[in-house]
């Protein structure tokens, strides 16, 4: 969707795509997901976020920057301490994107279920060969 404003054209799909890419990139790493889990319990400083992992503060900061770029983490400075807090709202775009495809797969699975049920009913309604019919085929003329 593009919107012309004051002579400029803004492509909202590109902006949304870039935002969605950043969110999924941030969530793709298990360390970052674990950091988000910790932040869901409340704000943490960088040292607290890096403590459960075998990594330096610099490495933890790189992970936090990825989370910040996605908008999932807000960092504030209190003296010399960097405190991070969770902002889960950007995940909503990812949920909505997946929900769109959930509808697609639900429809596909409903169609498959209907085909399998019809196949089972057809097999159940098919006349089976009785013992005398089987003997007739097996007997010699």
């Amino acid at each position: 969707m593009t919107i012309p404003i004051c002579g400029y054209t803004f492509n909202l799909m590109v902006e949304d795509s870039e935002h969605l890419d950043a969110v999924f990139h941030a969530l793709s790493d298990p360390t970052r997901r674990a950091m988000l889990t910790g932040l869901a319990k409340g704000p943490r400083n960088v040292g607290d976020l890096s403590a459960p992992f075998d990594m330096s503060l610099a490495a933890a900061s790189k992970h936090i920057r990825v989370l910040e770029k996605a908008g999932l983490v807000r960092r504030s400075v209190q003296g010399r301490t960097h405190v991070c807090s969770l902002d889960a709202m950007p995940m909503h775009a990812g949920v909505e994107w997946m929900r769109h495809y959930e509808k697609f797969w639900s429809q596909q699975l409903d169609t498959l279920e209907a085909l399998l049920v019809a196949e089972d009913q057809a097999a159940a309604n098919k006349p089976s060969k009785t013992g005398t019919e089987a003997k007739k085929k097996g007997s010699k003329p």
Side-chain angles (χ1 to χ4, degrees):
M1 179 172 153
T2 58
I3 299 176
I5 300 175
C6 300
Y8 296 98
T9 301
F10 294 94
N11 188 334
L12 297 179
M13 295 303 285
V14 170
E15 182 180 318
D16 288 345
S17 177
E18 290 171 3
H19 173 74
L20 194 58
D21 290 349
V23 169
F24 281 128
H25 173 68
L27 296 174
S28 70
D29 184 83
T31 300
R32 292 192 287 268
R33 289 192 306 269
M35 287 179 167
L36 290 174
T37 300
L39 289 171
K41 297 172 187 168
R44 307 277 161 108
N45 66 41
V46 175
D48 291 340
L49 284 175
S50 67
F53 311 103
D54 186 22
M55 69 173 64
S56 66
L57 289 176
S61 285
K62 287 181 181 180
H63 282 291
I64 293 167
R65 279 194 294 277
V66 171
L67 293 168
E68 284 178 304
K69 182 180 177 187
L72 297 169
V73 167
R74 304 272 181 233
R75 188 188 315 217
S76 63
V77 181
Q78 299 172 355
R80 293 177 54 171
T81 305
H82 290 235
V83 178
C84 299
S85 58
L86 174 66
D87 181 358
M89 194 60 168
M91 283 189 233
H92 182 71
V95 170
E96 288 302 313
W97 185 84
M98 288 186 284
R99 197 169 279 145
H100 169 76
Y101 288 97
E102 176 185 24
K103 291 174 189 174
F104 168 78
W105 283 110
S106 292
Q107 290 170 351
Q108 297 298 315
L109 291 172
D110 289 346
T111 301
L112 176 61
E113 180 183 27
L115 289 171
L116 292 173
V117 167
E119 187 178 275
D120 287 346
Q121 288 175 345
N125 293 336
K126 185 178 180 182
S128 63
K129 295 180 181 179
T130 61
T132 56
E133 290 174 355
K135 286 181 184 175
K136 285 181 184 177
K137 283 191 169 193
S139 63
K140 294 181 183 176

